[in-house]
Amino acid sequence: GGNTWAGGTGGRDTAGLGGKGGPYRLDAGHDVTQIPDAETAAVPEHVQRAARQMGRRAFEQRLKEIEMSEFDARTYGRFADAVRTEVRALRATLEAAVARGDERVWLRNQADGDLDDGRIVEGVTGERAIYRRRGARTPEAGAPQELPKKLSFVLDCSGSMYRFNGLDGRLERVMEAACMLMEALHGLPAHRFQYELVGHSGETPAIPLVRFGAPPANERERLKVMETMHAHAQFCLSGDHTVEAAAAAIDLVSKEEADERFVLVLSDANLDRYGIPPAKLGRVLVSNPNVTASALFIGSLGNQAEVLKRQLPVGHGFVCLDTADIPKAIKALFLSSVMK
């Protein structure tokens, strides 16, 4: 905070950046002065609790404002125009995706299983392969897709996204990514694709933004999703739930009937600040063979993101410090599923 006014830096007790004891983050465009972590840790518990209550009230008020506000076509247009080329590239990748999931069918002429009524005569004459049983059959090339591909996008809405947005635009980038995903998937047949957007932060591993089967119907609803992401990054507690968010998304999508299942975790690569080893995230990403999961790092202090990517399993980490690179990462994610 800024001691006596909101929007300052390196001070205390008011909303700002780089200070201590303030109720929430507020970027007023100043150069940020960051106080040492030890000073932040020394803030008394009752002050932290009071600040948190103030922040929670401000967050709830902001959500009400988002819900009641009129559609701001200019704001939405700024994001949509910035990713128009990427939307076309991603949509082309999605439309080119083919059926991959094994189809559950009756396998006939089996030596065991349920008696096949159509093979009773053969059984009388001594034929042994007169049974049938349920099994999986890989679809032929060009076969129609029987079930939708399920896509879970796990988006970083943590406080560091807001804190360092002035440095490298990472919060703007994740909002652009959300806009791109919603625009590219809008209007695609539900029997081919279903998706969810879920946020994660230091406060929670699961901020529901878009649920499976209930995509935003228009630009107004899509803008509300993006504004909610921004509000959460501004008002949430510090911390990191990237690993827990990835695990929850993989667990959820693994239970869905689907042609294929994908999880893409967008993060600002700030795991080391909270003592989270990259190997822990890596183990989660490869924990379920029925789900293709990767992490995509959209922010970095120095070479932080590249270092983290190199410590993940090969093919399960991407660095995209430019929104234009995100469709390429999603295409690579689809191709990695083909190579399984």
Side-chain angles (χ1 to χ4, degrees):
N3 291 354
T4 57
W5 67 85
T9 75
R12 57 179 295 166
D13 303 334
T14 59
L17 293 176
K20 63 180 181 180
Y24 54 87
R25 302 167 192 86
L26 181 61
D27 187 351
H30 305 298
D31 292 337
V32 178
T33 300
Q34 181 71 52
I35 67 171
D37 289 345
E39 287 195 40
T40 303
V43 175
E45 176 63 30
H46 72 279
V47 174
Q48 294 184 41
R49 188 165 53 250
R52 183 61 200 141
Q53 290 172 352
M54 291 174 63
R56 172 54 59 181
R57 287 195 295 270
F59 177 54
E60 291 172 353
Q61 178 60 35
R62 178 64 185 126
L63 291 182
K64 289 179 182 177
E65 292 171 358
I66 291 171
E67 188 62 33
M68 297 175 63
S69 63
E70 294 186 6
F71 173 58
D72 186 343
R74 181 176 298 180
T75 297
Y76 187 80
R78 177 169 64 86
F79 282 98
D81 290 344
V83 296
R84 205 165 298 283
T85 300
E86 289 72 30
V87 167
R88 287 196 295 268
L90 178 54
R91 196 172 181 95
T93 295
L94 294 169
E95 290 178 338
V98 298
R100 288 273 302 150
D102 292 339
E103 181 185 2
R104 297 290 293 177
V105 297
W106 283 109
L107 301 176
R108 302 185 182 278
N109 301 321
Q110 304 296 304
D112 58 69
D114 298 330
L115 180 64
D116 189 341
D117 293 341
R119 301 276 291 168
I120 293 176
V121 174
E122 287 81 354
V124 172
T125 61
E127 175 64 49
R128 299 183 63 182
I130 61 171
Y131 299 94
R132 64 176 187 166
R133 56 184 173 82
R134 298 291 284 176
R137 182 179 66 191
T138 301
E140 298 177 2
Q145 189 175 310
E146 300 291 333
L147 293 169
K149 296 181 188 297
K150 294 294 182 78
L151 314 172
S152 178
F153 299 103
V154 185
L155 309 177
D156 196 339
C157 302
S158 63
S160 59
M161 297 293 287
Y162 188 97
R163 165 66 177 82
F164 295 109
N165 186 58
L167 178 68
D168 59 12
R170 62 185 64 184
L171 181 55
E172 293 274 316
R173 195 174 304 122
V174 76
M175 291 170 68
E176 287 180 352
C179 181
M180 177 192 67
L181 293 167
M182 291 185 288
E183 284 281 346
L185 284 154
H186 179 65
L188 291 180
H191 72 272
R192 291 202 62 207
F193 296 98
Q194 291 185 18
Y195 75 99
E196 70 164 358
L197 299 184
V198 57
H200 65 95
S201 71
E203 191 163 325
T204 174
I207 308 160
L209 298 168
V210 176
R211 299 184 185 276
F212 282 120
N218 50 46
E219 292 181 349
R220 174 186 173 86
E221 292 183 6
R222 292 194 281 277
L223 180 59
K224 282 185 178 181
V225 170
M226 296 154 59
E227 289 177 332
T228 300
M229 292 168 59
H230 186 281
H232 197 91
Q234 181 177 6
F235 294 103
C236 70
L237 291 171
S238 298
D240 194 288
H241 278 107
T242 303
V243 174
E244 295 84 351
I250 291 170
D251 181 62
L252 174 63
V253 81
S254 70
K255 297 172 182 175
E256 297 276 335
E257 278 205 306
D259 180 72
E260 290 182 282
R261 305 166 184 84
F262 297 92
V263 171
L264 187 61
V265 182
L266 277 68
S267 169
D268 68 355
N270 204 30
L271 273 64
D272 57 344
R273 175 172 174 77
Y274 298 99
I276 302 171
K280 188 174 182 180
L281 176 59
R283 285 193 296 271
V284 168
L285 294 176
V286 297
S287 62
N288 192 314
N290 296 318
V291 180
T292 302
S294 290
L296 193 159
F297 302 114
I298 58 173
S300 183
L301 297 178
N303 67 342
Q304 186 182 44
E306 285 290 347
V307 170
L308 182 51
K309 172 193 167 184
R310 289 197 293 268
Q311 296 181 71
L312 295 179
V314 175
H316 291 271
F318 303 91
V319 176
C320 294
L321 302 183
D322 186 333
T323 308
D325 294 330
I326 295 177
K328 302 172 190 174
I330 294 176
K331 185 174 183 178
L333 189 67
F334 277 21
L335 291 175
S336 67
S337 174
V338 173
M339 299 301 291
K340 276 188 174 182

